[in-house]
């Protein structure tokens, strides 16, 4: 028979219980039963059952003890709650009484009721202190309801503000465990914002006071530590830190506007930010300018040092400089040009570094400048960029490039100025892009816009003068090289061959070499220029090329076969002129080709040819001059056609 607690339920009869136990045990019944009576087996069963009863008793006892312990604990907790409620009510009652007494005591004359007033004041302060201690303890336990009750009581006491201070101090404990004070602040304020509404009757005031406390203590100390350690030792890092700290502070302030902080939270937060950064922002632009001035000079010097180049002084007023400027602007041979060995002294890497430093400066200027000072500060940064990039680098390279252009009569001259032009144009496009993308938004609505545009225009015009001068002198050099080829390669016998019947060439050697040279220069111009500048320069080169050939052909006299060869040369020059892709140049060579026909046309047909479409509008003196180049001019009396 299983031993369970149900066997002992009321009413319980011990004799009946034993009888049932014996009856159910095999061999434990009466002698007349189905099995013989076995006293040993019955005894063994009784002993086993007694052991089970002992175990059951222990189990029940443990359960009883557990229930008793639980009952005592709940009774104790209940008693505490009752006491707390009673004490809470006594506090409220006492607070109400002492508050009224304190107000009444203010009206009592001091000389007659000094002792009474002192006792009331003492009791007032004791109770106030007890309430604050109770609030503090409740906050540590996380008992929001109790905190709310005590705060409501303290609301009418002078120590209510102290209660708020205690709350603000305690809610910050353990809140700044990471290295990111801004993220910690955002998380803390998010958490506290959910709680203050459950505790205080004016949560917006408490939140504002918490944020003010954080800004004036935690954030201000953090900013001071980060900036003071680099302010005098590492200006670059200081400016980066200032920008980063100010940006993160304003970003944090934007997040905090989500909370109810009173009627004018934007002004409130702005004042807090200003209280932290005002001393740093006052001197910001001076430090920015000084850093850019020093950094720009260092970048420039590092580049020229890498080229093992000592910068030449520009604008010193020396005799040598005067000679150089005269040589640059004229073709007078005032001594040899300098040899740059093909170096343009323009560096894409240097330009990128300067523009990147300026971009960072514009970003800092935008963030850290007072709105009223922003255009002025941005303009001062722009002037430094002009000084370092446009004057000290591009303009200097143009000066050197101009000095390196050989005279027009130089032989086999290497013309590197077009490479300078190409790189200068590329650099100025980058400069212009930064002007439009980063400076314009900062000054577009201010009077500084006109000043910036004027300065930019001034810089462009100064560079264009030097570019135009350099290109003009380079074109002169090209024409000079063509002259040299013609002078050395063109023979008088080319156009008056000894054997008129044995001319095997299509065009002269001089023509072939000039065309090859011109084609290379046309390609060079296309690579060095962009936009309309290509057509402008090629037009000028084409006109000079035509003038040279026109004048060159007039130096010779032509036999019939020589005239045919001259026509072949001009046809080749015209084919070369097509590469210019300039209609005017091609038209000039078409006309020259028509003029050359006067060298071979039959005398009787001269008048008809001169009246042709391409020659009819030309000056008759020019036509006559070409006819005079024929060897048969006098013998055939060709001049009569122009009399």
């Amino acid at each position: 028979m299983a031993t369970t607690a149900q066997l002992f339920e009321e009413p319980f009869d011990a004799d009946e219980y034993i009888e049932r136990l014996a009856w159910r045990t095999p061999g434990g019944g009466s002698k007349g039963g189905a099995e013989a009576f076995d006293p040993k087996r019955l005894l063994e069963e009784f002993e086993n059952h007694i052991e089970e009863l002992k175990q059951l008793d222990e189990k029940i006892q443990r359960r009883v003890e557990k229930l008793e312990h639980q009952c005592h604990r709940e009774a104790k907790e209940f008693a505490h709650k009752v006491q707390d409620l009673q004490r809470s009510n006594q506090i409220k009652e006492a607070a109400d009484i002492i508050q009224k007494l304190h107000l009444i005591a203010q009206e009592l004359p001091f000389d007659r009721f000094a002792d009474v007033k002192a006792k009331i004041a003492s009791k007032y302060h004791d109770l106030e202190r007890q309430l604050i201690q109770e609030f503090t303890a409740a906050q540590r336990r996380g008992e929001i309801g109790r905190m709310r009750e005590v705060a409501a009581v303290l609301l009418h006491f002078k120590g209510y503000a102290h209660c708020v201070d205690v709350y603000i101090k305690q809610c910050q404990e353990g809140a700044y465990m990471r290295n990111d004070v801004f993220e910690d602040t955002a998380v803390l304020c998010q958490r506290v914002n959910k709680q203050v509404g459950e505790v205080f009757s004016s949560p917006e005031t408490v939140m504002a006071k918490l944020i003010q406390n954080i800004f004036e203590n935690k954030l201000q100390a953090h900013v001071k530590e980060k900036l003071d350690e680099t302010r005098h030792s590492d200006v670059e890092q200081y400016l980066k830190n200032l920008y980063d700290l100010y940006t993160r502070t304003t970003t944090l302030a934007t997040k905090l506007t989500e909370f109810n902080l009173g009627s004018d939270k934007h002004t409130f937060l702005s004042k807090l930010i200003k209280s932290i950064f005002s001393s740093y922002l006052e001197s910001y632009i001076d430090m920015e300018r000084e850093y850019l001035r020093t950094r720009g000079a260092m970048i420039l010097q590092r580049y020229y040092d890498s080229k093992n180049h000592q910068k030449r002084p520009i604008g010193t007023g020396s005799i040598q400089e005067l000679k150089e400027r005269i040589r640059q602007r004229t073709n007078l041979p005032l001594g040899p040009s300098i040899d740059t060995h093909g170096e343009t002294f323009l560096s894409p890497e240097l330009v990128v570094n300067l523009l990147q430093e300026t971009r960072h400066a514009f970003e800092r200027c935008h963030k850290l400048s007072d709105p009223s000072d922003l255009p002025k500060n941005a303009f001062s940064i722009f002037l430094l960029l002009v000084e370092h990039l446009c004057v000290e680098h591009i303009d200097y390279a143009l000066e050197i490039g101009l000095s390196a252009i050989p005279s027009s009569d130089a032989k086999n001259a290497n013309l590197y100025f077009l490479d300078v032009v190409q790189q200068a144009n590329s650099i100025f496009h980058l400069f212009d892009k930064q002007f439009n993308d980063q400076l314009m938004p900062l000054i577009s609505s201010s009077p500084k816009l006109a000043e910036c545009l004027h300065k930019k225009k001034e810089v462009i015009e100064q560079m264009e003068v030097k570019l135009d001068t350099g290109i003009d002198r380079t074109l002169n050099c090209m024409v000079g090289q063509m002259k040299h080829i013609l002078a050395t390669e063109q023979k008088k016998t080319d156009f008056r061959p000894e054997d008129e019947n044995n001319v095997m060439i299509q065009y002269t050697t001089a023509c072939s070499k000039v065309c090859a040279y011109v084609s290379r220069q046309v390609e060079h111009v296309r690579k060095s220029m962009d936009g309309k500048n290509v057509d402008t320069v090629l037009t000028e080169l084409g006109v000079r090329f035509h003038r040279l050939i026109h004048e060159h052909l007039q130096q010779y006299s032509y036999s019939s076969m020589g005239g045919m060869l001259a026509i072949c040369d001009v046809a080749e020059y015209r084919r070369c002129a097509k590469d210019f892709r300039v209609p005017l140049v091609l038209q000039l060579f078409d006309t020259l080709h028509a003029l050359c026909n006067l060298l071979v046309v039959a005398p009787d047909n001269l008048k008809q040819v001169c009246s042709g479409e391409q020659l009819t509008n030309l000056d008759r003196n020019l036509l006559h001059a070409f006819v005079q180049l024929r060897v048969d001019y006098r013998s055939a009396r060709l001049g009569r056609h122009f009399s």
Side-chain angles (χ1 to χ4, degrees), residues 160-221:
Y160 178 73
H162 184 54
C163 170
V164 173
D165 291 340
V166 168
Y167 174 78
I168 288 172
K169 180 181 178 182
Q170 284 200 169
C171 68
Q172 293 182 64
E173 292 178 358
Y176 293 92
M177 303 300 291
R178 293 172 288 190
N179 292 328
D180 193 337
V181 66
F182 298 98
E183 186 61 30
D184 285 338
T185 297
V187 173
L188 169 64
C189 292
Q190 192 72 39
R191 172 171 59 83
V192 172
N193 184 62
K194 296 177 181 178
Q195 192 179 79
V196 289
E198 301 176 8
V199 175
F200 298 98
S201 58
S202 54
E204 70 281 359
T205 305
V206 179
M207 276 301 295
K209 197 166 185 180
L210 167 66
I211 291 171
Q212 181 177 354
N213 181 274
I214 293 172
F215 270 70
E216 292 177 351
N217 294 281
K218 205 72 179 178
L219 291 185
Q220 183 152 341

Side-chain angles (χ1 to χ4, degrees), residues 22 44 86 206 249 369 371 395 398 419 433 521 547:
E44 182 181 349
Q86 290 175 340
V206 179
T249 303
S369 295
D395 189 71
L398 292 177
D419 297 332
K433 187 176 189 309
Q521 302 315 310
R547 184 185 306 126

Side-chain angles (χ1 to χ4, degrees), residues 220-471:
Q220 183 152 341
H222 177 72
V223 169
K224 188 176 188 304
E225 178 188 3
K226 288 289 185 182
L227 295 181
D228 288 358
E229 66 185 15
T230 57
R231 189 168 193 172
H232 302 293
S233 60
D234 188 345
V235 179
E236 180 181 11
Q237 191 59 49
Y238 168 80
L239 290 171
K240 289 180 180 178
N241 288 347
L242 178 59
Y243 175 77
D244 179 66
L245 290 167
Y246 189 82
T247 300
R248 298 201 67 189
T249 303
T250 53
T251 301
L252 173 63
T254 301
K255 290 181 180 178
L256 298 179
T257 56
E258 300 173 3
F259 308 135
N260 184 5
L261 305 177
S263 57
D264 196 358
K265 53 188 173 185
H266 294 284
T267 302
F268 168 70
L269 290 168
S270 296
K271 287 181 179 179
L272 292 179
I273 295 173
K274 187 176 181 181
S275 69
I276 295 177
F277 289 97
S278 59
S279 63
Y280 303 106
L281 297 181
E282 287 172 1
S283 60
Y284 154 68
I285 194 61
D286 292 331
M287 297 190 74
E288 184 73 82
R289 282 197 297 259
E290 184 58 32
Y291 166 71
L292 285 176
R293 188 175 290 109
T294 304
R295 179 68 174 168
M298 187 200 76
I299 291 172
L300 286 164
Q301 190 59 49
R302 186 170 61 194
Y303 167 70
Y304 294 116
D305 287 346
S306 73
K307 296 294 181 181
N308 197 25
H309 174 75
Q310 181 67 40
K311 283 192 76 173
R312 301 174 62 197
I314 303 297
T316 58
S318 65
I319 296 297
Q320 182 60 37
E321 184 207 347
L322 179 60
K323 290 173 64 178
E324 182 59 43
R325 290 191 176 275
I326 293 173
R327 197 181 70 80
Q328 288 177 9
R329 287 157 179 75
T330 67
N331 289 315
L332 296 178
L334 299 177
S337 60
I338 66 170
D339 189 356
T340 62
H341 303 286
E343 177 61 61
T344 63
F345 289 103
L346 289 171
S347 166
E349 181 182 358
L350 178 149
V351 172
V352 168
N353 287 338
L354 285 176
L355 291 176
Q356 184 170 317
E357 291 289 350
T358 309
R359 178 173 64 82
H360 292 323
F362 280 137
E363 289 173 352
R364 289 191 290 263
C365 178
H366 189 195
K367 179 66 71 172
L368 301 175
S369 295
D370 186 272
S372 61
D373 294 331
L374 177 57
K376 176 184 66 176
N377 292 348
F379 181 63
S380 67
I381 292 172
F382 170 67
L383 290 180
L384 286 171
L385 177 63
V386 169
E387 177 186 343
H388 290 138
L389 180 61
C390 299
V391 178
E392 293 293 330
H393 193 56
I394 302 178
D395 189 71
Y396 178 75
L398 292 177
E399 289 280 355
I400 296 295
L402 285 170
S403 302
I405 298 175
S407 61
S408 60
D409 57 356
K411 299 176 182 178
N412 300 317
N414 289 319
L415 303 178
Y416 294 117
F417 191 79
L418 290 181
D419 297 332
V420 176
V421 173
Q422 178 188 12
Q423 292 187 31
N425 280 334
S426 298
I427 291 171
F428 198 80
H429 284 320
L430 295 175
F431 169 81
D432 193 50
K433 187 176 189 309
Q434 186 169 81
F435 183 92
N436 293 323
D437 293 351
Q438 293 168 338
L439 177 61
M440 285 295 287
L442 307 184
I443 61 169
S444 58
S445 58
S446 79
K448 281 291 177 185
L449 174 61
E451 199 170 347
C452 282
L453 292 173
H454 175 74
K455 184 64 179 177
K456 180 185 173 186
K457 181 183 177 186
E458 184 181 83
V459 169
I460 292 173
E461 289 175 349
Q462 289 174 355
M463 289 199 298
E464 283 181 342
V465 168
K466 293 181 180 179
L467 288 169
D468 291 345
T469 301
I471 291 170

Side-chain angles (χ1 to χ4, degrees), residues 47-241:
E47 289 174 347
N48 291 339
H49 200 72
I50 290 171
E51 189 62 34
E52 291 178 3
L53 289 174
K54 287 180 180 179
Q55 293 176 1
L56 180 61
D57 181 61
E58 292 174 359
K59 183 177 180 181
I60 293 173
Q61 190 60 35
R62 285 195 299 272
R63 186 177 179 190
V64 169
E65 290 174 356
K66 182 178 179 181
L67 291 171
E68 287 178 347
H69 178 73
Q70 182 178 347
C71 183
H72 287 311
R73 186 180 71 250
E74 291 179 354
K76 189 175 182 179
E77 290 176 356
F78 181 74
H80 280 308
K81 288 183 179 179
V82 171
Q83 290 175 1
D84 287 343
L85 290 172
Q86 290 175 340
R87 186 170 64 252
S88 174
N89 290 332
Q90 294 170 356
I91 288 174
K92 289 180 181 177
E93 292 173 3
D96 185 54
I97 293 171
I98 199 66
Q99 176 69 18
K100 291 177 180 177
L101 288 174
H102 183 71
L103 292 173
I104 293 171
Q106 305 302 313
E107 306 296 329
L108 297 177
F110 181 78
D111 53 349
R112 294 175 55 191
F113 299 97
D115 290 343
V116 174
K117 289 168 70 77
K119 289 179 180 179
I120 292 174
S122 176
K123 187 64 177 176
Y124 179 91
H125 292 306
D126 286 345
L127 184 59
E128 186 178 65
R129 185 174 61 257
Q130 291 174 16
L131 287 168
I132 291 174
Q133 289 174 349
E134 177 61 24
F135 181 88
T136 303
Q139 184 178 359
R140 293 192 184 281
R141 294 192 301 267
E143 297 177 356
I144 302 299
R146 183 64 179 150
M147 290 168 66
R148 180 171 58 250
E149 291 175 359
V150 177
V153 175
L154 275 168
L155 183 61
H156 305 292
F157 281 75
K158 293 180 180 179
Y160 178 73
H162 184 54
C163 170
V164 173
D165 291 340
V166 168
Y167 174 78
I168 288 172
K169 180 181 178 182
Q170 284 200 169
C171 68
Q172 293 182 64
E173 292 178 358
Y176 293 92
M177 303 300 291
R178 293 172 288 190
N179 292 328
D180 193 337
V181 66
F182 298 98
E183 186 61 30
D184 285 338
T185 297
V187 173
L188 169 64
C189 292
Q190 192 72 39
R191 172 171 59 83
V192 172
N193 184 62
K194 296 177 181 178
Q195 192 179 79
V196 289
E198 301 176 8
V199 175
F200 298 98
S201 58
S202 54
E204 70 281 359
T205 305
V206 179
M207 276 301 295
K209 197 166 185 180
L210 167 66
I211 291 171
Q212 181 177 354
N213 181 274
I214 293 172
F215 270 70
E216 292 177 351
N217 294 281
K218 205 72 179 178
L219 291 185
Q220 183 152 341
H222 177 72
V223 169
K224 188 176 188 304
E225 178 188 3
K226 288 289 185 182
L227 295 181
D228 288 358
E229 66 185 15
T230 57
R231 189 168 193 172
H232 302 293
S233 60
D234 188 345
V235 179
E236 180 181 11
Q237 191 59 49
Y238 168 80
L239 290 171
K240 289 180 180 178
N241 288 347

